[in-house]
Amino acid sequence: MTRIPWWRDAVVYEIYVRSFADADGNGEGDLQGIRSRLGHLRDLGVDALWLTPFYRSPLADGGYDVADYRDVDPRFGTLDDFDALVADVHAHGLRLIVDIVPNHSSDRHPWFQEALAAPPGSPERARYIFRPGRPGERPGEEQPPNDWPSAFGGPAWTRVDDGAGGGEWYLHLYAREQPDFNWRNPEVRHEFEDVLRFWLDRGVDGFRIDVAAGLFKDESFGDLAGRDRRVANGPIYSRPEVHEVYRKWRRILDEYGGDRMAIGEVWTDGPEDLALYLRPDELHQVFQFDLQLASWSATAFRDVIDAALKAVAPTGAAPTWVLSSHDSIRHLTRYERPGGIPGIERARAKAALLLLLSLPGSAYLYQGEELGLPEVTDLPDEARQDPIFERTCGELAGRDGCRVPLPWSGRAEPFGFSPAGVRPWLPMPRDWASMTVEAQASDPSSMLAYYRGALAMRRRLAGDLPEELEWLDSPDTALFFRRGPLTCALNCGENPVRLPPGTPLLTSAPLYGDLLPGNTAAWLRTP
Ligand code: NOJ
């Protein structure tokens, strides 16, 4: 039998480092905290961990603003801690993926500081994207070079002070503290190739590439003029030049043994575009956000699954699935129905897990979903740290609600996240005492016990499951499919439906005889 590379069907657990476990007592998670909790991840039964950025950073965007790509931020630990973590992760039989942020740096990065100190046209400025502004309506007034918006609200350009009342503008597709690199400059390419090697040499198994489609911008820097900034063949994302970069990165990964991989955060609006990134000499995987974007409906799920499978089919790459991440509202809360049956969101989240884990390809879990954590929607304004909140003047709440630290133990904040008496960087809801790992670990009816059971069963079945999925006939409100010995049935409706043939292996709620209740999923052994 041919050996399947580990990432093709891995369950990867996303760790938002700042919110996972705080060992040093500064209120923020850290690498030692992760080391101390590896037992939880092994017992959960995941295959790999993805760490969000832990590099030196002022945390203007939670660490996606990197000031030194080759060092650990003191808030999160040291390089020695990182080395110890890699060794421990591997000793636990897990793999480790780290985030790499090549589209932009922090404005505190030495290169950007040098660029600010250097004059227009200098080699220091050529590492970023500086442009002159456009004349404004009144004499002496200036407008940004074009109309591109920042993904976080406001314009994507900020003007610097070059003296004598003048100044160029620099591009930042995200916060103003995140200047975009100029990937047309070979120095930038070489720097990132070196950064990849730096972490590969330290033993990482792969990279999650942030804003992977954004590195090159159309050189004419024309206006969007009303078009969506993500538009296909637009000036900002998925320019053809980006593929050469990932071909080179692939060659670097291949130089190292041990199935090192890269997964790109690629938002595209068409499968053809997505497939380009997955050519055999490019990235191993891209995130497919389709499930995360789908509403609670069998038809919607079926459509996105079909589209996602179709998108990767010609490439031979394995699909990827995700329900929640540090950038989106937790799916448990997304599945709420105001005025609906109490607890419906929990029933749906449990059912969704069986869907996620029975699809071909790899599944990405987000920390805390195994505890059934909801989005925290009532954070006080003064606690919010996501730049989206500030840049939209509070119009959008931002992503802090899914980044609240994990509750591990105890009856009150900090719930074992930090040492007793320490205030976590975001306040934790009072009613999380029943959600802690400690409270759930020994309760067979807990979400944690359910996740463990489902992951263990997926692992047992994995070797027997073909990569193909075959749809079976089902009532409109449900979807049934089979992968060899496993049949998955999900009923998104409210009324029970008759189960497809097979012996039940695992269900998200008790069955009514041979009926599958509403908002419930089942795995069955195919007869
Ligand atoms: C995507 C990351 O997931 C998100 O958290 C970040 O804000 C943006 N990229 C910008 O780096």
Side-chain angles (χ1 to χ4, degrees):
M1 205 172 127
T2 38
R3 197 183 56 89
I4 296 176
W6 66 271
W7 40 265
R8 269 192 91 85
D9 62 353
V11 177
V12 185
Y13 181 97
E14 179 190 352
I15 293 189
Y16 192 74
V17 177
R18 200 179 182 189
S19 301
F20 188 72
D22 169 25
D24 66 4
N26 67 353
E28 297 179 289
D30 45 49
L31 302 183
Q32 289 291 2
I34 300 171
R35 281 185 75 198
S36 73
R37 299 292 186 181
L38 288 176
H40 168 68
L41 301 166
R42 186 202 40 218
D43 295 348
L44 182 60
V46 297
D47 303 302
L49 311 178
W50 150 31
L51 303 190
T52 56
F54 48 81
Y55 314 108
R56 262 187 201 270
S57 165
L59 303 191
D61 181 21
Y64 284 94
D65 48 319
V66 180
D68 183 346
Y69 287 86
R70 295 181 188 77
D71 202 3
V72 176
D73 194 275
R75 286 186 257 201
F76 301 138
T78 63
L79 277 174
D80 284 346
D81 294 341
F82 183 81
D83 293 341
L85 175 64
V86 174
D88 280 4
V89 167
H90 289 157
H92 280 75
L94 302 165
R95 303 271 187 164
L96 188 69
I97 297 175
V98 297
D99 228 301
I100 183 153
V101 190
N103 181 68
H104 44 263
S105 71
S106 159
D107 61 348
R108 311 306 303 169
H109 190 288
W111 277 9
F112 194 70
Q113 291 297 311
E114 286 168 22
L116 289 181
S122 59
E124 288 83 359
R125 290 231 166 150
R127 294 166 176 150
Y128 292 91
I129 301 176
F130 282 86
R131 288 284 178 284
R134 293 194 284 201
E137 279 164 14
R138 272 177 289 220
E141 218 180 54
E142 261 202 25
Q143 298 283 338
N146 66 25
D147 66 356
W148 296 1
S150 147
F152 291 165
W157 298 92
T158 290
R159 194 175 187 188
V160 300
D161 181 2
D162 287 326
E168 287 192 312
W169 300 69
Y170 69 88
L171 179 72
H172 51 87
L173 292 184
Y174 297 87
R176 80 172 75 78
E177 296 87 351
Q178 292 168 294
D180 279 46
F181 281 116
N182 171 18
W183 272 85
R184 297 184 193 279
N185 183 339
E187 219 185 330
V188 173
R189 289 174 186 236
H190 295 146
E191 170 69 0
F192 274 92
E193 289 164 13
D194 196 65
V195 168
L196 288 183
R197 291 182 198 281
F198 180 87
W199 295 104
L200 287 166
D201 287 340
R202 298 196 106 87
V204 304
D205 297 291
F207 297 95
R208 177 264 188 193
I209 308 168
D210 187 60
V211 193
L215 310 192
F216 289 83
K217 286 83 185 173
D218 182 15
E219 278 179 296
S220 67
F221 286 93
D223 279 341
L224 278 171
R227 285 176 299 169
D228 187 285
R229 70 190 164 82
R230 289 201 186 133
V231 70
N233 303 317
I236 305 186
Y237 291 103
S238 284
R239 307 292 308 168
E241 298 90 329
V242 79
H243 297 291
E244 208 34 64
V245 170
Y246 298 134
R247 291 211 169 100
K248 183 65 202 287
W249 288 20
R250 176 62 174 258
R251 292 200 290 278
I252 294 174
L253 289 164
D254 288 348
E255 279 171 28
Y256 287 78
D259 277 342
R260 317 283 179 119
M261 58 83 76
I263 173 162
E265 187 215 11
V266 177
W267 291 88
T268 63
D269 54 5
E272 296 80 16
D273 191 20
L274 197 85
L276 293 179
Y277 291 86
L278 294 172
R279 284 175 288 192
D281 59 347
E282 280 200 55
L283 302 181
H284 301 80
Q285 290 189 315
V286 293
F287 277 104
Q288 293 174 277
F289 297 106
D290 315 72
L291 273 189
Q292 193 177 339
L293 302 173
S295 58
W296 185 258
S297 134
T299 322
F301 283 139
R302 206 179 153 124
D303 288 351
V304 298
I305 292 166
D306 267 338
L309 293 175
K310 216 167 128 207
V312 296
T315 70
T320 63
W321 311 100
V322 44
L323 290 168
S324 280
S325 78
H326 67 287
D327 285 333
S328 59
I329 295 178
R330 284 189 177 275
H331 64 273
L332 186 117
T333 300
R334 285 205 316 272
Y335 293 152
E336 258 171 22
R337 237 190 36 189
I341 314 160
I344 191 172
E345 65 281 5
R346 189 179 157 86
R348 288 178 171 182
K350 289 179 81 174
L353 181 70
L354 294 196
L355 174 66
L356 182 85
L357 294 184
S358 53
L359 291 168
S362 42
Y364 282 75
L365 306 181
Y366 177 52
Q367 67 177 39
E369 66 172 84
E370 78 278 24
L371 304 178
L373 294 188
E375 183 81 2
V376 178
T377 50
D378 57 358
L379 286 170
D381 286 357
E382 58 283 6
R384 291 193 183 276
Q385 307 222 5
D386 186 352
I388 290 181
F389 181 71
E390 180 223 306
R391 288 186 66 89
T392 62
C393 303
E395 205 177 298
L396 298 177
R399 301 160 293 178
D400 295 307
C402 64
R403 299 175 178 179
V404 172
L406 285 196
W408 291 95
S409 58
R411 310 278 327 148
E413 190 182 88
F415 293 111
F417 166 72
S418 292
V422 172
R423 283 184 68 184
W425 71 280
L426 283 174
M428 302 172 72
R430 280 164 187 265
D431 62 0
W432 275 12
S434 60
M435 317 276 276
T436 63
V437 173
E438 181 184 55
Q440 297 196 37
S442 53
D443 173 1
S445 67
S446 68
M447 187 66 101
L448 179 56
Y450 175 72
Y451 262 70
R452 285 178 178 168
L455 284 160
M457 190 168 291
R458 170 178 163 121
R459 189 169 279 212
R460 281 201 295 279
L461 293 169
D464 298 330
L465 302 184
E467 288 199 337
E468 296 72 40
L469 167 160
E470 184 193 334
W471 291 109
L472 307 176
D473 286 341
S474 63
D476 288 350
T477 62
L479 59 82
F480 301 163
F481 62 83
R482 110 174 232 207
R483 287 178 63 208
L486 177 69
T487 297
C488 176
L490 168 67
N491 180 6
C492 293
E494 300 301 326
N495 300 320
V497 299
R498 195 159 301 284
L499 280 165
T503 318
L505 295 169
L506 183 66
T507 62
S508 64
L511 302 175
Y512 308 150
D514 62 353
L515 295 180
L516 181 66
N519 299 304
T520 301
W523 283 350
L524 306 120
R525 182 163 286 285
T526 313

